[in-house]
Every structure is written in C-alpha cells, then in structure tokens.
Amino acid sequence: DLSVGSDQQTRQYTITFSASFELRNSKGVRIAGPFSLSSQQSVAIFSGVLITNTEQFFTVKEIAERDVLNRLFSVLSSPEIKKSVL
C-alpha cells in the first residue's frame, strides 16, 4: 500500500522490457522463431521526481528483465527447440 499526504501526488508508470529473437543455423537459415517476449511492471513515483533516478525504477526494471530472461531460457530449453537444433 502507498499512502501520501494531501500535498504529495504520485504517478503510476508502466515499465516494459521486451526481447525478440530467432534461431538461425550457420548458413543463416531460420530454424526456430521468431519469438517475442515481454514483461510489464508498474511503479508509483512521486510527482516531480525523475523516474530513472529512483531505486524503485531500477528494482522494477530488474524484475521485468529477469522475467523476460527466465522465459527466454524456458523457450531455449523447450523440447521443440532441442528438436530443431539437433
């Protein structure tokens, strides 16, 4: 929960982290994909504060990045990918 005084306002931001990729063989032929992964996280920041200078921003950004990376590793370790690579 976030509570603020009557003279303070917050703004809600949505941070999106996205990654797109495909797998190609040594000849440049696509063997899987393309894949698009995305994660959105929300953060509330006091008005007048530069969002990229806040600890909340870096924390939420890291959560979004980890979420996408975990899903990327899940895709790469899936049976379908293993089958197409071997």
Side-chain angles (χ1 to χ4, degrees):
D1 290 328
L2 176 66
S3 60
V4 295
S6 60
D7 59 335
Q8 295 177 321
Q9 295 182 358
T10 61
R11 290 192 175 178
Q12 190 75 19
Y13 294 91
T14 301
I15 296 170
T16 303
F17 185 79
S18 301
S20 299
F21 66 99
E22 59 187 19
L23 300 179
R24 294 181 175 263
N25 65 16
S26 61
K27 295 179 181 170
V29 177
R30 184 174 56 203
I31 56 175
F35 302 96
S36 292
L37 306 172
S38 182
S39 178
Q40 291 186 338
Q41 302 292 323
S42 295
V43 62
I45 305 291
F46 287 108
S47 295
V49 174
L50 185 60
I51 186 172
T52 56
N53 288 344
T54 65
E55 186 176 326
Q56 296 99 318
F57 170 79
F58 290 107
T59 300
V60 170
K61 178 179 170 275
E62 186 175 289
I63 290 168
E65 290 170 343
R66 284 185 186 174
D67 182 43
V68 168
L69 287 173
N70 285 334
R71 289 195 274 144
L72 181 134
F73 290 132
S74 292
V75 169
L76 293 176
S77 64
S78 71
E80 296 84 14
I81 296 297
K82 288 179 184 176
K83 184 178 177 181
S84 65
V85 172
L86 297 177

